[in-house]
Amino acid sequence: MPWSRFEKQWSIQEEGRILSYKDALREAIDQAMCLDPKVFAIGLDADDCYGVYGSMLNLSHPERVLGTPISENAMTGVALGAALTGMRPIHIHMRVDFLPVAMDQITNYVSKWKAMFGGKPKVPLVIRAVVGRGWGCGAQHSQTLHGMFAHLPGLSVVTPATPRDAKGLLLQAIALDEPVLFLEHRWLYKNEGAVPEEMYTIPLGKGQYLRRGDSLTIVAPSLAAIHSLQACEEHDLDVDLIDPRTIKPLDRELILDSVRRTGRLLVVDYDSPVCGFASEVLALVAEEAPEALLAGAQKMTFPDVPMPASGVLERRYYPDPDRIAAKAKAMISRVKGEGALV
Amino acid sequence: MMENAQIKPAEGLDLYERMLRIRLLSEHILEVYRDDVMETPVHLTLGQEAVAVGVCAHLRDEDVLSLGHRTHAGALAKGLPLKSLLAELYGRSTGCSGSYGGSMHVYDPEHGIHGSSAIVGGNIALGVGAALSFKLQSKEGVAVSMFGDGACDAGVFWESMNYAALAGLPVLFLLEDNQLSNVMPKSKHLYPDPRAIAANFMPTYFADGTDAISVFLSAKEAISEIRRTGRPAFLHCPTKRWMKHQGVEEEDLPFIHIDREKDCPIQKLESFLLGARMATPGELKQVRAHLEEELEAAIHYARQSPYPPVQALEV
Ligand SMILES: Cc1ncc(C[n+]2csc(CCOP(=O)(O)OP(=O)(O)O)c2C)c(N)n1
Ligand SMILES: [Mg+2]
C-alpha cells in the first residue's frame, strides 16, 4: 500500500519551529529516554527499518527499543509487569487493530491494576497505537476504537491532532504513573506545525479551541479535528471548534461553556456511532445543559458497519471536510428553537 | 526428491496448471498495481505457489481451507474462480467478497473458503472449528489451517493444536514457512522449531515448500492419515518469499538469498514433468495458453463489473 501517498494534508499556522507529527512523537520519545533511563520502548516491528512509520528512527538510545514476536497479548502483560517493577515502558503497535488481540491484558489487567489494589500500584505504562484507514485495507486494518477503549474504567485515552499536542501529550503520558492509551491517526503523521524544542507536557483532560465562533460548537478529536478546521476555514463557518485532545479524561467544562454560548452542537467523530465518543458528548450536554440546545445536537460518525475495502466505499465511509461543512451549514441555518431538547 | 512412481501424469499436470494460474495472476498484479487500479494492499505469493497447490490437490470442494492475510495462492488452489478474485482486487461488486474484503479477505464457501483474516494467528482456530463441525455432524471432511512462521509466535497456535489433539479433530496445520515475518527473520521472532512443538500433539510431516511434488507427496500422506484417523496432523513447508512482505517490490533483505531459476516451483515442476516424460513441451505450452486466455477473460470481467453502490453506507 502506498503509504507515501498520504501526503501532508494540513498545517496549523503557528509561529515557531516547524515539525511533523511523526517527528514530534519521535522527539518526545527521544527526550523521555534521555531524561529517564527507565523509559524503554517495546513492540512488534518497533525496532525494524520502518520504525513505526518513522517515529522510532534515529533515537539516542536504540538499545532501549525492543522488538517482539507476534504475541500482543503476552507482550502487553510483559510491559505491565515491567511497569509495576520500576520501568516506564512504551508499548507500540503499528495498528490499533492488533490491540484487540491483547484485550484480556488491557481490559482485565492494565486498566484494573491500580484500582484493584486500592490505588497503591504505580502503572507507568503507555500503549501507543496507530489508528485510521489505509488503502483498501478492509475491516481489520482501519479501525479507530477510541470509544471502545474509553469505555474501560482506569484507562486514559489520548488522541492528539497536532504535532504540538502529539509531543506534549506523549511526554505527559510517559510521565504519568497510570496507564495511558495513546492513539495516533496515520493521516496526521506528515502534518506539520509549530513544536517547542524543549520538553513540555500538556495535561490530560484539557481540550482546546482550534477556532472561535458563535453559531455552532463542533467537538472533534484527532483527524476529525483537523478536517473540521479545514471545513471551517474553507467555508468560512462561524464555528467554535473544540479539539478535546483526550477522549478520557474529557474536558467537560470547555464543551459545556461553548454549547451554552452557541446553542448548537455537532460532534464529528471518526469512530463507530453506537456507545461511542460522540454519544458520550451528546449525553454530557443532555445531562448538564439541556436548556442550551436551541437548535439540536447531532453527531457525524462512521456508519455502524465494519469498514469495506473497495475504494469507492472506503471514501464514502470516512467523513471528510466537505461533508462536515455541509452538515455544519445545515445546522447553522436552522432557526433556534426548532429541534430543541427542551 | 522426485519419486515419479507416486504421482500420475494427470496429477502432475494439474499441479502445473494450478501453480501457473497463481503465477500469472501475480504477474498481472505486478503489471498494473502501480497504476492504482487495485486499491488494496497485496501480499503476493510469488515463489510460494507449491505449498498451497501441493496440499489442495488432495482436498475436495467441501474440505475447508482457513487462510490468513496472504490469500491468493491458497484461494486459487482451493478452487476460488480467478475472475471472482480479480474482481475483488479491482474493488468491484462481483468480487468474491462483494468488494468488502479486498486482497486479504476472500470468501467462497462453495470451495470451502469461509473467509480469511488479516489479524495474524486467529485463522488457525477457525480451521479447528471447521474440523469440529465435521466431527459433530459426522461428516467426512478435512479442514486445513494455513499460516506462516509468524503465526507460530501467537498463543492461538498452541491453543489450537492443543484443542485439536484433545478433541481429536480432522485438521491439517499447514505451516507455510517463508522464514520471515515482515522484515524479521524467523530467528528473531520464533525460538523453538515449530515442528518439534507440534510433534507433542500430533504426527508431523515435512516437505520442500518450493517443490510441488515434495509437497504433494507429504500432503498426501498427512491428509490420508487425517482421513483415516480423524485426528490432526502438522505439515511443515519451508519456502521462499520473492517479494517484500506486501506490495510489488522485490525482496532485498541482505540475509535472503533467492535464485529465481533454482528456487522456482514452476520451473522445477516443468523440468520434472519433461524429464520423467510425464508431459511434452507442447502440452505445457497448451496449459499456459489456456491459462492466459482465462486470465484475459477474468481481467475483462473484473474491469467491466460495476463498483458497489455507496448507498449501502448511508446512515
Ligand atoms: C496480531 C497481528 N499483529 C501484527 C500484524 C502485522 N502483520 C501482518 S503480516 C505479519 C507477518 C506475518 O508473518 P507470517 O505469519 O510468517 O506470514 P507471512 O507474511 O510470512 O506469509 C505481521 C507482523 C497482524 N496482521 N496481526
Ligand atoms: Mg512468514
Side-chain angles (χ1 to χ4, degrees):
Chain A
M1 170 197 32
W3 167 241
S4 58
R5 283 178 225 176
F6 289 99
E7 291 308 332
K8 188 174 78 177
Q9 294 203 344
W10 197 252
S11 49
I12 303 266
Q13 300 301 320
E14 280 175 326
E15 297 289 302
R17 182 192 54 150
I18 299 301
L19 217 57
S20 69
Y21 187 92
K22 164 202 67 150
D23 287 327
L25 293 168
R26 199 203 69 81
E27 190 168 87
I29 290 189
D30 198 49
Q31 290 179 341
M33 282 183 168
C34 290
L35 179 79
D36 182 352
K38 300 217 158 83
V39 173
F40 75 104
I42 184 165
L44 173 61
D45 296 331
D47 61 337
D48 75 11
C49 52
Y50 304 112
V52 189
Y53 311 128
S55 67
M56 301 303 293
L57 296 177
N58 306 317
L59 295 173
S60 309
H61 290 285
E63 78 284 0
R64 277 191 256 147
V65 181
L66 312 180
T68 79
I70 310 179
S71 309
E72 284 84 355
N73 195 40
M75 297 317 300
T76 304
V78 167
L80 173 60
L84 294 171
T85 51
M87 298 300 287
R88 303 192 90 82
I90 306 168
H91 192 194
I92 305 183
H93 302 268
M94 301 231 279
R95 289 178 183 277
V96 78
D97 312 74
F98 308 150
L99 280 184
V101 177
M103 215 55 195
D104 172 42
Q105 286 288 342
I106 295 173
T107 312
N108 293 320
Y109 294 72
V110 170
S111 68
K112 307 281 191 289
W113 218 255
K114 208 173 165 76
M116 205 157 66
F117 302 102
K120 288 185 216 164
K122 289 186 173 159
V123 190
L125 170 61
V126 179
I127 301 175
R128 273 182 65 195
V130 182
V131 309
R133 85 161 162 97
W135 186 74
C137 290
Q140 293 179 335
H141 278 58
S142 53
Q143 299 171 86
T144 309
L145 303 180
H146 55 222
M148 185 180 86
F149 286 110
H151 195 69
L152 299 174
L155 187 65
S156 296
V157 180
V158 177
T159 54
T162 69
R164 183 175 171 278
D165 294 346
K167 178 174 170 183
L169 287 168
L170 184 50
L171 279 169
Q172 176 67 69
I174 297 169
L176 284 174
D177 285 330
E178 44 196 72
V180 176
L181 178 62
F182 194 90
L183 300 176
E184 306 150 15
H185 202 292
R186 56 192 282 141
W187 283 23
L188 296 171
Y189 259 53
K190 289 188 176 176
N191 284 9
E192 291 181 339
V195 179
E197 282 178 46
E198 69 274 13
M199 288 182 87
Y200 62 95
T201 57
I202 294 173
L204 307 195
K206 282 277 165 240
Q208 67 182 337
Y209 289 108
L210 292 183
R211 182 182 173 90
R212 300 310 302 265
D214 297 320
S215 299
L216 169 70
T217 300
I218 293 183
V219 178
S222 188
L223 178 65
I226 302 303
H227 278 179
S228 298
L229 180 60
Q230 223 171 324
C232 292
E233 292 186 353
E234 283 165 8
H235 297 262
D236 196 25
L237 301 177
D238 182 28
V239 162
D240 232 15
L241 173 56
I242 292 176
D243 167 13
R245 297 201 281 204
T246 61
I247 301 290
K248 199 167 77 178
L250 180 62
D251 193 342
R252 298 157 56 99
E253 287 315 314
L254 189 72
I255 295 169
L256 291 170
D257 282 354
S258 173
V259 173
R260 287 195 176 107
R261 205 157 38 68
T262 65
R264 298 184 178 96
L265 172 65
L266 171 63
V267 187
V268 185
D269 184 27
Y270 291 1
D271 198 0
S272 303
V274 179
C275 298
F277 171 72
S279 310
E280 183 62 31
V281 174
L282 297 191
L284 166 71
V285 175
E287 279 182 342
E288 303 293 333
E291 74 289 350
L293 289 179
L294 301 174
Q298 301 207 3
K299 60 186 184 185
M300 189 168 191
T301 65
F302 298 154
D304 188 26
V305 293
M307 166 76 99
S310 183
V312 293
L313 296 175
E314 196 181 42
R315 283 183 282 277
R316 173 67 211 176
Y317 187 93
Y318 246 72
D320 59 28
D322 287 339
R323 279 165 54 206
I324 295 170
K327 183 109 175 172
K329 280 184 195 167
M331 287 188 73
I332 290 172
S333 68
R334 269 167 85 178
V335 179
K336 293 196 178 181
E338 263 180 45
L341 282 182
V342 287
Chain B
M1 87 134 284
M2 305 218 170
E3 300 126 73
N4 53 7
Q6 299 176 53
I7 177 159
K8 301 182 190 108
E11 292 170 333
L13 267 177
D14 183 57
L15 294 178
Y16 183 73
E17 179 181 326
R18 288 181 199 236
M19 284 205 292
L20 197 55
R21 177 177 292 115
I22 298 162
R23 176 64 60 90
L24 293 181
L25 171 68
S26 299
E27 287 171 356
H28 172 64
I29 295 172
L30 291 184
E31 235 174 78
V32 302
Y33 197 69
R34 288 196 168 84
D35 300 333
D36 283 358
V37 289
M38 291 176 180
E39 285 184 81
T40 179
V42 287
H43 300 80
L44 294 181
T45 47
L46 270 165
Q48 302 189 180
E49 296 91 345
V51 179
V53 165
V55 170
C56 290
H58 306 288
L59 299 181
R60 308 165 187 150
D61 282 351
E62 39 315 338
D63 292 329
V64 166
L65 178 62
S66 176
L67 295 166
H69 57 285
R70 199 174 293 284
T71 59
H72 303 179
L76 291 180
K78 187 67 177 61
L80 173 68
L82 180 64
K83 62 179 191 174
S84 308
L85 179 54
L86 260 167
E88 190 62 33
L89 296 176
Y90 275 98
R92 310 304 168 110
S93 57
T94 52
C96 58
S97 309
S99 86
Y100 279 69
S103 164
M104 299 188 284
H105 303 294
V106 295
Y107 186 70
D108 182 11
E110 276 177 38
H111 295 97
I113 299 170
H114 296 268
S116 59
S117 164
I119 302 299
V120 171
N123 71 295
I124 301 175
L126 270 60
V128 174
L132 175 64
S133 177
F134 284 138
K135 183 171 173 174
L136 292 177
Q137 298 175 76
S138 309
K139 278 191 189 163
E140 300 266 315
V142 168
V144 177
S145 289
M146 185 169 178
F147 51 94
D149 48 303
C152 301
D153 302 358
V156 65
F157 167 63
W158 309 65
E159 294 169 41
S160 299
M161 286 200 297
N162 185 37
Y163 182 68
L166 281 173
L169 301 178
V171 53
L172 177 68
F173 290 83
L174 173 59
L175 169 53
E176 182 184 47
D177 181 4
N178 58 18
Q179 292 135 79
L180 286 171
S181 163
N182 201 345
V183 295
M184 261 203 287
K186 193 164 71 171
S187 59
K188 237 193 108 183
H189 73 81
L190 185 64
Y191 190 79
D193 168 6
R195 190 148 56 109
I197 301 298
N200 291 290
F201 300 94
M202 59 193 74
T204 67
Y205 300 83
F206 180 85
D208 174 352
T210 64
D211 178 348
I213 304 282
S214 170
V215 178
F216 178 88
L217 295 176
S218 296
K220 185 175 186 177
E221 245 186 287
I223 291 170
S224 46
E225 185 67 7
I226 295 171
R227 291 198 200 279
R228 192 177 64 76
T229 62
R231 295 192 56 81
F234 184 92
L235 174 57
H236 183 188
C237 302
T239 183
K240 293 195 177 182
R241 188 184 87 196
W242 290 7
M243 310 301 288
K244 289 196 169 167
H245 173 63
Q246 185 250 104
V248 293
E249 282 169 54
E250 279 182 31
E251 190 51 78
D252 58 1
L253 291 167
F255 50 87
I256 293 293
H257 305 288
I258 287 159
D259 179 335
R260 285 207 177 197
E261 305 269 297
K262 278 209 244 145
D263 292 331
C264 177
I266 294 173
Q267 287 195 23
K268 274 190 198 181
L269 183 62
E270 252 178 38
S271 20
F272 168 74
L273 292 174
L274 295 174
R277 298 190 184 285
M278 292 171 74
T280 64
E283 279 173 314
L284 297 186
K285 250 198 184 145
Q286 235 181 329
V287 172
R288 177 179 282 272
H290 149 74
L291 288 171
E292 280 170 352
E293 261 172 52
E294 181 197 61
L295 178 64
E296 275 314 306
I299 295 168
H300 182 75
Y301 171 82
R303 289 188 168 162
Q304 298 293 307
S305 291
Y307 285 106
V310 295
Q311 289 80 336
L313 294 178
E314 297 301 331
V315 269

